[in-house]
Amino acid sequence: MNPAFATSSAEAAIPIIFVSKAAWQAADATPDGPARRFAEASGFLAKSGQYLALPAANGDISHILFGLGEESDQTRDPFLAGKLPGLLPPGTYRFANAPRDIHLATLAFALGNYRFDRYRKADAPKARLVPPEGVDIAAISRMGEAASLARDLINTPANDMGPEELAAAAQHLAQRFGGEFSCIVGDDLKQRNFPLIHAVGMASPRAPRLIDIAWGDPTHPKVTLVGKGVCFDTGGVDLKPASGMQIMKKDMGGAANVLALALMVMDAKLKVRLRVLIPAVENAVAGNAFRPLDIFPSRKGPTVEIGNTDAEGRLVLADALALADEEAPELLIDLGTLTGAARVALGPDVPPFYTNDDALALDIARCAQTENDPLWRMPLWPAYGTWLDSKVADINNAPSGGFAGSIVCALFLQRFVEAATSWLHVDIYGWTPSAKPARPEGGECQAARAIYRLLSERYG
Protein backbone atom coordinates (compact mmCIF):
# COMPACT_ATOMS: atom_id res chain seq x y z
CA MET A 1 0.00 0.00 0.00
CA ASN A 2 1.17 3.53 -0.72
CA PRO A 3 2.83 5.15 2.35
CA ALA A 4 0.24 7.94 2.19
CA PHE A 5 -2.40 5.49 3.42
CA ALA A 6 -3.06 4.01 6.85
CA THR A 7 -4.04 0.46 7.64
CA SER A 8 -5.86 1.38 10.84
CA SER A 9 -9.62 1.60 11.15
CA ALA A 10 -11.56 4.75 10.41
CA GLU A 11 -13.08 5.00 13.90
CA ALA A 12 -9.94 6.42 15.49
CA ALA A 13 -9.05 8.67 12.54
CA ILE A 14 -9.51 12.44 12.58
CA PRO A 15 -12.32 13.41 10.19
CA ILE A 16 -11.64 15.81 7.30
CA ILE A 17 -14.75 17.76 6.33
CA PHE A 18 -14.83 19.16 2.78
CA VAL A 19 -16.75 22.44 2.72
CA SER A 20 -17.83 24.40 -0.31
CA LYS A 21 -18.32 28.14 -0.07
CA ALA A 22 -22.02 27.80 -0.84
CA ALA A 23 -22.55 25.22 1.90
CA TRP A 24 -20.62 27.30 4.42
CA GLN A 25 -22.49 30.49 3.65
CA ALA A 26 -25.82 28.67 3.88
CA ALA A 27 -24.75 27.14 7.22
CA ASP A 28 -25.45 23.70 5.74
CA ALA A 29 -21.98 22.41 6.56
CA THR A 30 -20.99 20.73 9.78
CA PRO A 31 -19.82 21.53 12.36
CA ASP A 32 -22.25 23.79 14.16
CA GLY A 33 -22.44 25.44 17.57
CA PRO A 34 -19.16 26.36 19.31
CA ALA A 35 -17.06 24.68 16.58
CA ARG A 36 -18.60 26.84 13.89
CA ARG A 37 -18.15 29.98 15.99
CA PHE A 38 -14.48 29.04 16.44
CA ALA A 39 -14.11 28.59 12.69
CA GLU A 40 -15.76 31.91 11.95
CA ALA A 41 -13.58 33.67 14.53
CA SER A 42 -10.54 32.08 12.88
CA GLY A 43 -11.51 33.55 9.52
CA PHE A 44 -12.54 30.29 7.85
CA LEU A 45 -14.58 31.10 4.72
CA ALA A 46 -14.27 27.77 2.85
CA LYS A 47 -12.01 29.35 0.24
CA SER A 48 -10.38 26.96 -2.19
CA GLY A 49 -7.65 25.08 -0.31
CA GLN A 50 -8.31 26.83 3.02
CA TYR A 51 -7.51 24.63 6.00
CA LEU A 52 -8.47 24.80 9.67
CA ALA A 53 -7.94 22.38 12.54
CA LEU A 54 -10.78 22.46 15.08
CA PRO A 55 -9.79 21.72 18.69
CA ALA A 56 -11.50 19.25 20.96
CA ALA A 57 -12.16 20.09 24.61
CA ASN A 58 -8.94 18.33 25.65
CA GLY A 59 -6.84 20.25 23.12
CA ASP A 60 -6.56 17.47 20.55
CA ILE A 61 -7.75 17.97 16.98
CA SER A 62 -11.41 17.04 16.66
CA HIS A 63 -11.96 17.83 12.96
CA ILE A 64 -10.25 19.31 9.94
CA LEU A 65 -12.12 21.78 7.76
CA PHE A 66 -10.92 21.99 4.17
CA GLY A 67 -12.37 24.56 1.81
CA LEU A 68 -13.42 23.66 -1.73
CA GLY A 69 -14.27 27.22 -2.76
CA GLU A 70 -16.73 27.96 -5.52
CA GLU A 71 -18.16 25.32 -7.84
CA SER A 72 -15.85 26.63 -10.55
CA ASP A 73 -12.81 26.09 -8.29
CA GLN A 74 -13.70 22.42 -7.84
CA THR A 75 -14.16 21.97 -11.57
CA ARG A 76 -10.89 23.72 -12.29
CA ASP A 77 -8.82 21.51 -10.00
CA PRO A 78 -10.24 18.19 -8.77
CA PHE A 79 -6.77 17.50 -7.27
CA LEU A 80 -7.23 20.16 -4.59
CA ALA A 81 -7.02 17.53 -1.83
CA GLY A 82 -3.39 17.08 -2.84
CA LYS A 83 -2.61 20.07 -0.61
CA LEU A 84 -3.60 18.15 2.52
CA PRO A 85 -0.42 16.08 3.09
CA GLY A 86 1.59 19.30 3.29
CA LEU A 87 -0.87 20.93 5.71
CA LEU A 88 -1.93 18.23 8.14
CA PRO A 89 -0.11 17.55 11.42
CA PRO A 90 1.15 13.98 11.93
CA GLY A 91 -1.72 11.60 12.48
CA THR A 92 -4.31 9.38 10.88
CA TYR A 93 -7.21 10.95 9.01
CA ARG A 94 -10.33 10.01 7.10
CA PHE A 95 -12.66 11.77 4.71
CA ALA A 96 -15.80 12.55 6.70
CA ASN A 97 -17.77 13.43 3.58
CA ALA A 98 -17.28 12.96 -0.12
CA PRO A 99 -15.45 15.63 -2.09
CA ARG A 100 -16.49 16.24 -5.69
CA ASP A 101 -14.67 13.12 -6.91
CA ILE A 102 -13.65 10.67 -4.20
CA HIS A 103 -11.33 8.71 -6.52
CA LEU A 104 -9.39 11.79 -7.63
CA ALA A 105 -9.29 13.23 -4.09
CA THR A 106 -7.76 10.00 -2.78
CA LEU A 107 -5.31 9.87 -5.65
CA ALA A 108 -4.45 13.53 -5.05
CA PHE A 109 -3.65 12.74 -1.42
CA ALA A 110 -1.21 10.04 -2.58
CA LEU A 111 0.39 12.28 -5.22
CA GLY A 112 0.67 15.15 -2.75
CA ASN A 113 2.73 12.92 -0.48
CA TYR A 114 5.65 12.92 -2.96
CA ARG A 115 8.99 14.50 -2.06
CA PHE A 116 12.24 14.43 -4.06
CA ASP A 117 14.91 14.03 -1.41
CA ARG A 118 17.86 12.41 -3.18
CA TYR A 119 20.13 15.43 -2.73
CA ARG A 120 18.60 17.38 0.11
CA LYS A 121 16.74 16.16 3.15
CA ALA A 122 13.03 16.75 2.81
CA ASP A 123 10.68 15.88 5.63
CA ALA A 124 8.09 13.47 4.28
CA PRO A 125 4.48 14.19 5.28
CA LYS A 126 3.47 12.22 8.34
CA ALA A 127 -0.28 12.42 7.80
CA ARG A 128 -1.88 9.15 6.75
CA LEU A 129 -5.30 8.66 5.21
CA VAL A 130 -7.62 5.75 5.93
CA PRO A 131 -8.74 4.70 2.44
CA PRO A 132 -12.35 5.69 1.77
CA GLU A 133 -14.87 2.92 1.21
CA GLY A 134 -15.60 2.08 -2.39
CA VAL A 135 -12.26 3.31 -3.68
CA ASP A 136 -9.90 0.86 -5.43
CA ILE A 137 -6.96 1.60 -3.17
CA ALA A 138 -4.73 -0.95 -4.90
CA ALA A 139 -5.14 0.89 -8.21
CA ILE A 140 -4.54 4.27 -6.57
CA SER A 141 -1.47 2.97 -4.75
CA ARG A 142 0.10 1.69 -7.96
CA MET A 143 -0.71 4.99 -9.70
CA GLY A 144 0.98 6.85 -6.86
CA GLU A 145 4.05 4.62 -6.99
CA ALA A 146 4.25 4.96 -10.76
CA ALA A 147 4.05 8.74 -10.54
CA SER A 148 6.84 8.75 -7.95
CA LEU A 149 9.00 6.60 -10.23
CA ALA A 150 8.50 8.92 -13.20
CA ARG A 151 9.10 12.03 -11.09
CA ASP A 152 12.25 10.61 -9.49
CA LEU A 153 13.75 9.62 -12.84
CA ILE A 154 13.02 12.99 -14.43
CA ASN A 155 14.10 15.03 -11.41
CA THR A 156 17.47 13.28 -11.20
CA PRO A 157 20.05 15.45 -12.97
CA ALA A 158 21.85 14.19 -16.04
CA ASN A 159 25.15 13.62 -14.23
CA ASP A 160 23.39 10.84 -12.31
CA MET A 161 20.82 9.84 -14.96
CA GLY A 162 22.59 9.02 -18.20
CA PRO A 163 21.79 6.19 -20.61
CA GLU A 164 23.49 3.61 -18.38
CA GLU A 165 21.62 4.70 -15.24
CA LEU A 166 18.32 4.79 -17.11
CA ALA A 167 18.99 1.24 -18.31
CA ALA A 168 19.74 0.17 -14.73
CA ALA A 169 16.40 1.60 -13.55
CA ALA A 170 14.59 -0.27 -16.33
CA GLN A 171 16.42 -3.50 -15.50
CA HIS A 172 15.50 -3.19 -11.83
CA LEU A 173 11.84 -2.74 -12.76
CA ALA A 174 11.90 -5.74 -15.12
CA GLN A 175 13.53 -7.98 -12.50
CA ARG A 176 11.04 -6.91 -9.85
CA PHE A 177 8.15 -8.28 -11.92
CA GLY A 178 9.93 -11.24 -13.51
CA GLY A 179 10.32 -9.62 -16.92
CA GLU A 180 13.07 -10.18 -19.46
CA PHE A 181 15.65 -7.42 -19.96
CA SER A 182 18.18 -6.83 -22.70
CA CYS A 183 20.19 -3.87 -23.93
CA ILE A 184 22.09 -3.09 -27.14
CA VAL A 185 24.97 -0.72 -26.39
CA GLY A 186 27.30 1.56 -28.36
CA ASP A 187 28.62 0.44 -31.72
CA ASP A 188 26.52 -2.72 -31.51
CA LEU A 189 23.60 -0.45 -32.43
CA LYS A 190 25.14 0.03 -35.88
CA GLN A 191 25.90 -3.64 -36.22
CA ARG A 192 22.31 -4.56 -35.37
CA ASN A 193 20.76 -1.93 -37.62
CA PHE A 194 19.79 0.94 -35.35
CA PRO A 195 21.69 3.68 -37.22
CA LEU A 196 19.58 6.64 -36.08
CA ILE A 197 19.88 5.83 -32.38
CA HIS A 198 23.62 5.43 -32.82
CA ALA A 199 23.95 8.68 -34.79
CA VAL A 200 22.23 10.77 -32.14
CA GLY A 201 24.21 9.31 -29.24
CA MET A 202 27.65 8.78 -30.78
CA ALA A 203 29.13 12.16 -29.72
CA SER A 204 28.69 11.47 -26.02
CA PRO A 205 31.24 9.51 -23.99
CA ARG A 206 28.19 7.86 -22.42
CA ALA A 207 27.33 5.16 -24.92
CA PRO A 208 23.85 5.15 -26.46
CA ARG A 209 21.74 2.06 -26.00
CA LEU A 210 18.40 0.46 -26.78
CA ILE A 211 16.65 -0.84 -23.68
CA ASP A 212 14.26 -3.75 -24.21
CA ILE A 213 11.86 -5.25 -21.64
CA ALA A 214 9.45 -8.12 -22.29
CA TRP A 215 6.84 -9.33 -19.81
CA GLY A 216 3.68 -11.40 -19.76
CA ASP A 217 2.17 -14.42 -21.47
CA PRO A 218 3.34 -14.56 -25.11
CA THR A 219 -0.15 -15.74 -26.13
CA HIS A 220 -1.78 -12.56 -24.84
CA PRO A 221 -2.32 -9.49 -27.06
CA LYS A 222 0.89 -7.62 -27.81
CA VAL A 223 1.10 -4.11 -26.36
CA THR A 224 4.35 -2.25 -26.99
CA LEU A 225 5.45 0.97 -25.31
CA VAL A 226 8.21 3.15 -26.75
CA GLY A 227 9.67 6.03 -24.74
CA LYS A 228 12.10 8.76 -25.76
CA GLY A 229 15.13 8.49 -23.50
CA VAL A 230 17.28 11.53 -24.33
CA CYS A 231 18.98 11.88 -20.96
CA PHE A 232 20.24 15.35 -21.79
CA ASP A 233 19.67 17.42 -24.89
CA THR A 234 22.14 20.15 -25.75
CA GLY A 235 20.51 20.49 -29.16
CA GLY A 236 23.64 19.03 -30.70
CA VAL A 237 25.46 21.13 -33.32
CA ASP A 238 22.25 23.20 -33.58
CA LEU A 239 23.02 24.20 -30.02
CA LYS A 240 20.22 25.34 -27.73
CA PRO A 241 20.63 28.66 -25.91
CA ALA A 242 21.39 28.39 -22.21
CA SER A 243 17.76 29.10 -21.33
CA GLY A 244 16.67 26.23 -23.56
CA MET A 245 18.91 23.77 -21.72
CA GLN A 246 17.76 24.63 -18.19
CA ILE A 247 15.42 21.66 -17.80
CA MET A 248 16.76 19.36 -20.52
CA LYS A 249 17.36 16.69 -17.90
CA LYS A 250 13.65 16.08 -18.47
CA ASP A 251 14.15 15.07 -22.11
CA MET A 252 13.98 11.44 -21.03
CA GLY A 253 10.46 12.08 -19.73
CA GLY A 254 8.96 9.76 -22.33
CA ALA A 255 11.13 6.91 -21.07
CA ALA A 256 10.28 7.73 -17.45
CA ASN A 257 6.59 7.67 -18.21
CA VAL A 258 6.58 4.42 -20.18
CA LEU A 259 8.42 2.82 -17.24
CA ALA A 260 5.76 4.24 -14.91
CA LEU A 261 3.07 2.81 -17.19
CA ALA A 262 4.87 -0.54 -17.36
CA LEU A 263 5.00 -0.64 -13.56
CA MET A 264 1.22 -0.25 -13.38
CA VAL A 265 0.59 -2.83 -16.11
CA MET A 266 2.84 -5.43 -14.52
CA ASP A 267 1.70 -4.78 -10.95
CA ALA A 268 -1.93 -5.16 -12.03
CA LYS A 269 -1.06 -8.33 -13.99
CA LEU A 270 -2.96 -7.16 -17.06
CA LYS A 271 -3.46 -9.83 -19.70
CA VAL A 272 -1.00 -8.48 -22.24
CA ARG A 273 2.32 -9.43 -23.74
CA LEU A 274 4.09 -6.22 -22.83
CA ARG A 275 7.20 -4.91 -24.53
CA VAL A 276 8.98 -1.71 -23.54
CA LEU A 277 11.55 -0.14 -25.85
CA ILE A 278 13.62 2.87 -24.79
CA PRO A 279 16.30 4.40 -27.01
CA ALA A 280 18.56 5.99 -24.38
CA VAL A 281 21.08 8.59 -25.58
CA GLU A 282 22.72 11.88 -24.71
CA ASN A 283 22.59 14.46 -27.51
CA ALA A 284 26.04 15.97 -26.99
CA VAL A 285 28.39 18.25 -28.91
CA ALA A 286 31.78 16.91 -30.02
CA GLY A 287 33.88 16.53 -33.13
CA ASN A 288 32.03 13.39 -34.14
CA ALA A 289 28.53 14.75 -33.51
CA PHE A 290 26.00 14.37 -36.30
CA ARG A 291 25.51 17.56 -38.31
CA PRO A 292 22.82 19.42 -40.22
CA LEU A 293 22.37 17.96 -43.73
CA ASP A 294 24.03 14.67 -42.79
CA ILE A 295 22.10 11.70 -44.17
CA PHE A 296 21.64 8.42 -42.35
CA PRO A 297 19.80 5.21 -43.13
CA SER A 298 17.05 4.14 -40.74
CA ARG A 299 16.22 0.68 -39.45
CA LYS A 300 13.08 0.63 -41.57
CA GLY A 301 15.00 1.59 -44.71
CA PRO A 302 14.21 5.20 -45.70
CA THR A 303 17.19 7.53 -45.60
CA VAL A 304 16.86 10.55 -43.33
CA GLU A 305 18.38 13.98 -43.98
CA ILE A 306 19.11 15.93 -40.81
CA GLY A 307 17.31 19.26 -41.03
CA ASN A 308 18.07 20.08 -37.40
CA THR A 309 20.14 18.19 -34.82
CA ASP A 310 17.78 19.47 -32.12
CA ALA A 311 15.00 17.31 -33.55
CA GLU A 312 16.81 14.23 -32.28
CA GLY A 313 13.96 12.66 -30.32
CA ARG A 314 12.01 11.67 -33.42
CA LEU A 315 15.17 10.07 -34.84
CA VAL A 316 15.74 7.71 -31.93
CA LEU A 317 12.02 6.95 -31.72
CA ALA A 318 11.95 6.13 -35.45
CA ASP A 319 14.35 3.21 -35.09
CA ALA A 320 12.62 1.96 -31.93
CA LEU A 321 9.17 2.22 -33.54
CA ALA A 322 10.42 0.33 -36.58
CA LEU A 323 11.60 -2.52 -34.33
CA ALA A 324 8.32 -2.52 -32.41
CA ASP A 325 6.32 -2.54 -35.63
CA GLU A 326 8.09 -5.67 -36.89
CA GLU A 327 6.07 -7.69 -34.35
CA ALA A 328 2.77 -6.15 -35.54
CA PRO A 329 1.52 -5.44 -32.00
CA GLU A 330 -2.17 -4.96 -31.34
CA LEU A 331 -1.39 -1.61 -29.75
CA LEU A 332 1.78 0.45 -30.20
CA ILE A 333 2.18 3.53 -28.00
CA ASP A 334 5.02 6.03 -27.96
CA LEU A 335 5.61 8.89 -25.53
CA GLY A 336 8.19 11.61 -25.85
CA THR A 337 9.05 15.16 -24.86
CA LEU A 338 9.30 16.21 -28.47
CA THR A 339 8.19 19.66 -29.57
CA GLY A 340 7.94 23.18 -28.24
CA ALA A 341 5.10 23.58 -30.73
CA ALA A 342 2.92 21.30 -28.59
CA ARG A 343 3.50 23.58 -25.61
CA VAL A 344 2.71 26.69 -27.64
CA ALA A 345 -0.55 25.11 -28.78
CA LEU A 346 -1.72 23.47 -25.55
CA GLY A 347 0.57 24.59 -22.74
CA PRO A 348 2.45 22.36 -20.28
CA ASP A 349 -0.56 20.52 -18.81
CA VAL A 350 -2.33 19.18 -21.92
CA PRO A 351 -0.26 16.92 -24.18
CA PRO A 352 -1.54 16.37 -27.71
CA PHE A 353 -2.06 12.84 -28.95
CA TYR A 354 -2.27 11.44 -32.47
CA THR A 355 -3.86 8.32 -33.90
CA ASN A 356 -5.80 7.24 -36.97
CA ASP A 357 -7.90 4.87 -34.85
CA ASP A 358 -11.07 6.81 -34.02
CA ALA A 359 -12.28 4.25 -31.48
CA LEU A 360 -8.94 4.41 -29.69
CA ALA A 361 -9.06 8.22 -29.75
CA LEU A 362 -12.50 8.27 -28.11
CA ASP A 363 -11.44 5.75 -25.47
CA ILE A 364 -8.22 7.51 -24.54
CA ALA A 365 -9.93 10.91 -24.38
CA ARG A 366 -12.58 9.49 -22.02
CA CYS A 367 -9.95 7.82 -19.81
CA ALA A 368 -7.91 11.02 -19.71
CA GLN A 369 -10.92 12.96 -18.49
CA THR A 370 -11.82 10.35 -15.88
CA GLU A 371 -8.29 10.29 -14.46
CA ASN A 372 -7.75 14.06 -14.71
CA ASP A 373 -4.69 13.19 -16.81
CA PRO A 374 -5.55 15.52 -19.69
CA LEU A 375 -4.88 14.73 -23.34
CA TRP A 376 -6.15 16.40 -26.49
CA ARG A 377 -6.43 14.86 -29.95
CA MET A 378 -4.70 16.63 -32.83
CA PRO A 379 -4.80 15.60 -36.49
CA LEU A 380 -2.36 13.59 -38.54
CA TRP A 381 -2.97 16.08 -41.35
CA PRO A 382 -1.81 14.27 -44.53
CA ALA A 383 -1.16 17.40 -46.60
CA TYR A 384 1.57 18.49 -44.21
CA GLY A 385 3.43 15.29 -44.96
CA THR A 386 4.93 16.90 -48.06
CA TRP A 387 6.82 19.28 -45.79
CA LEU A 388 9.01 16.30 -44.81
CA ASP A 389 10.22 15.85 -48.40
CA SER A 390 13.96 16.02 -49.00
CA LYS A 391 15.71 16.72 -52.30
CA VAL A 392 18.53 14.31 -51.54
CA ALA A 393 17.07 11.70 -49.15
CA ASP A 394 13.78 9.91 -48.58
CA ILE A 395 12.72 12.18 -45.70
CA ASN A 396 13.89 15.20 -43.70
CA ASN A 397 13.64 15.05 -39.91
CA ALA A 398 12.94 18.77 -39.37
CA PRO A 399 11.91 20.80 -42.41
CA SER A 400 12.30 24.57 -42.37
CA GLY A 401 9.26 26.65 -41.48
CA GLY A 402 7.71 27.20 -38.10
CA PHE A 403 4.21 25.85 -38.68
CA ALA A 404 2.52 22.80 -37.08
CA GLY A 405 5.69 21.46 -35.50
CA SER A 406 3.98 18.83 -33.34
CA ILE A 407 1.88 17.57 -36.25
CA VAL A 408 4.92 17.37 -38.53
CA CYS A 409 6.79 15.38 -35.87
CA ALA A 410 3.87 12.95 -35.59
CA LEU A 411 3.77 12.57 -39.39
CA PHE A 412 7.49 11.80 -39.38
CA LEU A 413 7.01 9.04 -36.80
CA GLN A 414 4.00 7.67 -38.66
CA ARG A 415 6.30 6.79 -41.58
CA PHE A 416 7.89 4.13 -39.37
CA VAL A 417 4.68 2.38 -38.31
CA GLU A 418 2.78 0.12 -40.74
CA ALA A 419 2.00 -3.28 -39.28
CA ALA A 420 0.67 -2.35 -35.81
CA THR A 421 -3.10 -2.68 -35.54
CA SER A 422 -3.36 0.66 -33.69
CA TRP A 423 -0.78 3.34 -32.97
CA LEU A 424 -0.93 6.14 -30.41
CA HIS A 425 1.63 8.95 -30.26
CA VAL A 426 1.71 11.38 -27.31
CA ASP A 427 3.85 14.55 -27.27
CA ILE A 428 4.24 15.08 -23.51
CA TYR A 429 5.98 17.83 -21.54
CA GLY A 430 6.86 15.73 -18.47
CA TRP A 431 7.31 18.75 -16.22
CA THR A 432 5.26 20.95 -13.89
CA PRO A 433 6.61 24.51 -14.21
CA SER A 434 5.05 25.79 -10.98
CA ALA A 435 3.65 23.81 -8.07
CA LYS A 436 -0.04 22.95 -7.88
CA PRO A 437 -1.96 20.67 -5.53
CA ALA A 438 -0.64 17.10 -5.90
CA ARG A 439 1.82 18.29 -8.58
CA PRO A 440 5.05 19.73 -7.19
CA GLU A 441 7.33 21.76 -9.43
CA GLY A 442 9.56 19.41 -11.42
CA GLY A 443 9.25 16.11 -13.24
CA GLU A 444 5.73 14.91 -13.88
CA CYS A 445 3.92 11.72 -14.78
CA GLN A 446 1.84 12.62 -17.85
CA ALA A 447 -0.43 10.41 -19.97
CA ALA A 448 0.56 7.23 -18.10
CA ARG A 449 -2.50 7.13 -15.82
CA ALA A 450 -4.89 7.74 -18.71
CA ILE A 451 -3.28 5.01 -20.80
CA TYR A 452 -3.22 2.65 -17.82
CA ARG A 453 -6.96 3.08 -17.37
CA LEU A 454 -7.46 2.33 -21.06
CA LEU A 455 -5.33 -0.81 -20.86
CA SER A 456 -7.10 -1.89 -17.66
CA GLU A 457 -10.45 -1.65 -19.38
CA ARG A 458 -9.28 -3.58 -22.42
CA TYR A 459 -7.01 -6.18 -20.85
CA GLY A 460 -7.88 -6.30 -17.14
Side-chain angles (χ1 to χ4, degrees):
M1 185 180 291
N2 189 287
F5 300 120
T7 56
S8 54
S9 66
E11 286 76 12
I14 300 168
I16 298 171
I17 303 171
F18 294 96
V19 188
S20 70
K21 249 188 172 183
W24 187 255
Q25 290 168 354
D28 291 337
T30 55
D32 54 14
R36 182 178 178 93
R37 290 195 295 275
F38 177 89
E40 290 173 341
S42 300
F44 184 80
L45 298 172
K47 295 177 182 177
S48 178
Q50 191 176 13
Y51 153 91
L52 180 66
L54 297 176
N58 64 358
D60 291 341
I61 298 173
S62 66
H63 293 77
I64 298 292
L65 297 182
F66 188 71
L68 298 177
E70 308 281 359
E71 180 71 18
S72 60
D73 294 324
Q74 299 171 55
T75 304
R76 190 178 300 119
D77 193 353
F79 274 3
L80 190 61
K83 293 184 71 172
L84 285 166
L87 296 172
L88 295 170
T92 303
Y93 298 84
R94 63 180 175 85
F95 292 163
N97 59 341
R100 182 182 181 89
D101 186 318
I102 191 73
H103 167 79
L104 290 181
T106 308
L107 176 61
F109 195 97
L111 296 178
N113 205 57
Y114 174 81
R115 298 293 184 273
F116 182 62
D117 58 3
R118 177 167 176 170
Y119 301 96
R120 187 176 71 179
K121 180 176 173 56
D123 292 331
K126 294 181 173 60
R128 297 293 176 260
L129 180 70
V130 176
E133 291 186 12
V135 170
D136 186 346
I137 202 63
I140 286 177
S141 291
R142 72 175 61 100
M143 287 180 183
E145 183 184 0
S148 293
L149 172 64
R151 289 169 172 177
D152 280 348
L153 291 173
I154 297 170
N155 284 332
T156 302
N159 61 311
D160 286 329
M161 187 53 64
E164 183 177 1
E165 290 82 5
L166 183 57
Q171 184 175 18
H172 176 77
L173 185 67
Q175 290 174 342
R176 172 182 164 185
F177 291 102
E180 304 161 27
F181 174 86
S182 62
C183 201
I184 305 170
V185 181
D187 289 341
D188 285 350
L189 290 164
K190 288 182 71 175
Q191 299 300 320
R192 296 179 64 174
N193 195 24
F194 298 97
L196 294 176
I197 299 174
H198 182 268
V200 173
M202 65 185 176
S204 173
R206 308 164 90 179
R209 59 203 68 212
L210 178 62
I211 298 162
D212 193 342
I213 295 172
W215 173 89
D217 188 333
T219 65
H220 287 162
K222 292 177 183 174
V223 173
T224 301
L225 312 177
V226 180
K228 174 186 170 184
V230 178
C231 294
F232 193 82
D233 182 19
T234 65
V237 174
D238 288 311
L239 193 68
K240 294 178 184 288
S243 60
M245 277 192 251
Q246 281 297 309
I247 56 172
M248 279 301 100
K249 67 177 183 179
K250 81 170 184 67
D251 215 21
M252 39 63 71
N257 276 282
V258 297
L259 289 175
L261 177 54
L263 184 157
M264 291 186 278
V265 168
M266 293 187 290
D267 186 66
K269 298 181 175 60
L270 299 188
K271 296 178 178 63
V272 297
R273 176 58 172 177
L274 180 69
R275 191 177 191 187
V276 180
L277 295 170
I278 296 172
V281 302
E282 181 175 38
N283 188 20
V285 183
N288 64 332
F290 74 122
R291 297 162 291 259
L293 302 189
D294 281 355
I295 298 174
F296 296 94
S298 65
R299 179 176 182 83
K300 190 172 177 62
T303 54
V304 181
E305 181 183 22
I306 305 304
N308 191 312
T309 64
D310 197 19
E312 84 299 329
R314 67 196 69 180
L315 295 173
V316 299
L317 286 177
D319 271 357
L321 284 170
L323 173 64
D325 196 56
E326 290 165 13
E327 287 189 325
E330 182 171 298
L331 183 56
L332 174 55
I333 301 169
D334 76 82
L335 275 67
T337 52
L338 286 155
T339 70
R343 313 289 76 83
V344 171
L346 298 175
D349 296 345
V350 187
F353 74 90
Y354 300 83
T355 181
N356 276 331
D357 184 334
D358 290 339
L360 174 61
L362 288 172
D363 280 348
I364 194 66
R366 173 179 49 78
C367 291
Q369 183 174 18
T370 300
E371 283 300 333
N372 195 49
D373 192 11
L375 297 169
W376 194 265
R377 188 182 189 184
M378 288 178 66
L380 288 160
W381 194 251
Y384 293 166
T386 59
W387 296 354
L388 293 164
D389 292 347
S390 166
K391 295 178 181 178
V392 291
D394 293 317
I395 191 172
N396 189 299
N397 81 315
S400 59
F403 292 135
S406 183
I407 296 174
V408 170
C409 176
L411 290 169
F412 178 89
L413 295 176
Q414 188 182 30
R415 302 281 184 98
F416 299 88
V417 178
E418 287 184 335
T421 305
S422 295
W423 169 59
L424 176 71
H425 162 62
V426 191
D427 190 347
I428 67 170
Y429 191 49
W431 191 262
T432 299
S434 56
K436 291 174 283 201
R439 290 146 293 177
E441 180 180 342
E444 190 51 275
C445 186
Q446 279 188 321
R449 292 198 324 275
I451 297 170
Y452 169 66
R453 176 173 278 269
L454 171 82
L455 297 179
S456 297
E457 291 179 359
R458 292 190 173 190
Y459 306 110

